[in-house]
């Protein structure tokens, strides 16, 4: 599965929103569903999807879908 | 009661941690045991194994963040994720205020508070992979009521109560329950060198007129780690035989 789709699935699952909501411009706290609590679930789902462990600094830095893609590059994930 | 569950216990080599390890393992959990003494942990691992149980042991001082992080990295590599965490590691030192220096204060807080918080932070990430679980923190009766000569220790145990209540609110919607136990006078190494007058005074203040055992507390841990407490969160449960301070 392409990386973008995998990430979209993780976001949609963690935030319980439709995939159409998940765009690069979507920001943390930009919708009610992406709050500090669901952010914890989101990190967990991304870790599971890509089999990585995200550092605390990156947990905080992951403030948008676009930023998530940028951070994932650091972890050398592949689709 | 706990088949297939993976449960981490800190401070597992002695006292309450050891009793909890034996009881939870006997109920089918794989117990992941942390302590400063590998020698004692290995003996405990053998004991659990000969009783048909399953455990993993790690030498790790919870006040050393790096060592704890390495434990979780190892567990993550093995795809072992926690269902429950028992934050049992703690140190007790008594001193009246003018004798309680900064070094002693830091030492107590590094283990009882900062270490506990670091373990919990990593454990929550792990428990989220299981879509829910339970965290059991070890406070104390003195964290609830205070005690003469224990302002530092008691305040560290009070911090655990505030942490437990706040974290239970943060994590409830994620199906992670967070509770604390407040044991009273329990027969562990921590009270081994207690002055006999204090020992007798404490004993007289217990309604049930007997000292608690580590096994008494372990049963409460079993309750909080199991589905028996499936709707219990944010609670501070006394295990004190009716002790009055």
């Amino acid at each position: 599965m392409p990386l973008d789709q995998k990430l979209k699935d993780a976001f949609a699952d963690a935030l319980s929103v439709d995939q159409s909501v998940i765009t690069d411009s979507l920001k943390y706290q930009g919708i009610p569903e992406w709050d500090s609590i669901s952010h914890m679930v989101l990190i967990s789902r991304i870790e599971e999807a890509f089999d990585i462990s995200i550092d605390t600094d990156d947990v905080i830095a992951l403030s948008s879908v676009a930023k998530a893609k940028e951070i994932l590059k650091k972890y050398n994930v592949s689709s | 009661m706990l088949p297939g569950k993976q449960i981490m216990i800190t401070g597992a080599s002695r006292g309450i941690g050891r009793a909890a390890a034996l009881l939870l393992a006997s109920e089918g959990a794989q117990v992941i045991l942390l302590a400063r003494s590998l020698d004692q942990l290995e003996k405990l691992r053998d004991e659990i194994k000969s009783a048909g149980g399953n455990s993993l042991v790690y030498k790790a001082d919870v006040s050393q963040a790096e060592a704890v992080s390495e434990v979780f990295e190892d567990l993550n590599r093995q795809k072992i994720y926690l269902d429950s965490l028992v934050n049992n590691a703690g140190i007790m030192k008594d001193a009246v205020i003018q004798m309680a220096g900064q070094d002693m204060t830091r030492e107590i807080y590094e283990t009882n508070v900062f270490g506990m918080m670091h373990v919990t932070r990593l454990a929550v990430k792990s428990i989220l992979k299981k879509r829910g679980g339970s965290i059991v923190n070890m406070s104390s009766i003195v964290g609830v009521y205070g005690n003469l000569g224990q302002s530092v220790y008691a305040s560290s145990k009070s911090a655990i109560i505030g942490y437990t209540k706040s974290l239970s609110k943060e994590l409830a919607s994620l199906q992670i329950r967070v509770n604390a136990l407040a044991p009273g006078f329990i027969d562990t190494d921590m009270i081994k060198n207690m002055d006999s007058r204090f020992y007798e005074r404490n004993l007289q203040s217990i309604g049930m007129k007997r000292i608690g055992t580590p096994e008494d507390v372990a049963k409460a841990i079993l309750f909080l780690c199991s589905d028996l407490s499936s709707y219990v969160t944010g609670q501070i449960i006394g295990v004190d035989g009716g002790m009055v301070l």
Side-chain angles (χ1 to χ4, degrees), chain B residues 214-228:
Chain B
E215 289 73 23
D216 288 323
V217 185
K219 288 174 197 167
I221 293 171
L222 171 62
F223 168 71
L224 289 174
C225 289
S226 75
D227 279 347
L228 291 175

Side-chain angles (χ1 to χ4, degrees), chain A residues 13 37 40-41 43-45 47-48 51 53-55 59, chain B residues 76 79 81 124-125 128-131 169-171 173-174:
Chain A
D13 179 35
I37 302 297
M40 287 192 273
V41 180
I43 297 299
S44 183
R45 298 293 180 273
E47 286 183 339
E48 280 177 339
D51 199 18
S53 180
I54 299 175
D55 297 336
V59 171
Chain B
N76 289 339
K79 303 249 183 285
Y81 302 117
V124 166
K125 276 186 94 179
L128 277 169
K129 304 281 194 297
K130 294 280 187 79
R131 276 41 173 186
K169 291 184 162 116
E170 273 185 32
L171 301 179
S173 66
L174 305 178

Side-chain angles (χ1 to χ4, degrees), chain B residues 183-224:
Chain B
F185 196 40
I186 308 297
D187 191 9
T188 66
D189 287 351
M190 276 187 175
I191 63 156
K192 209 163 51 182
N193 299 318
M194 181 179 276
D195 183 293
S196 60
R197 287 167 305 163
F198 286 121
Y199 184 95
E200 195 52 40
R201 192 193 65 185
N202 279 333
L203 201 56
Q204 290 312 314
S205 69
I206 301 169
M208 294 179 76
K209 299 297 176 205
R210 72 166 176 87
I211 191 168
T213 65
E215 289 73 23
D216 288 323
V217 185
K219 288 174 197 167
I221 293 171
L222 171 62
F223 168 71
L224 289 174

Side-chain angles (χ1 to χ4, degrees), chain B residues 12-14 18 33-47 57-60:
Chain B
S13 63
R14 296 181 298 168
R18 185 177 190 283
L33 309 175
L34 276 63
R36 289 178 293 188
S37 165
L38 187 59
D39 189 39
Q40 288 180 326
L41 279 180
E42 285 175 342
K43 283 181 189 154
L44 178 56
R45 180 180 60 194
D46 293 345
E47 200 174 330
V57 300
Y58 291 95
K59 177 179 161 60

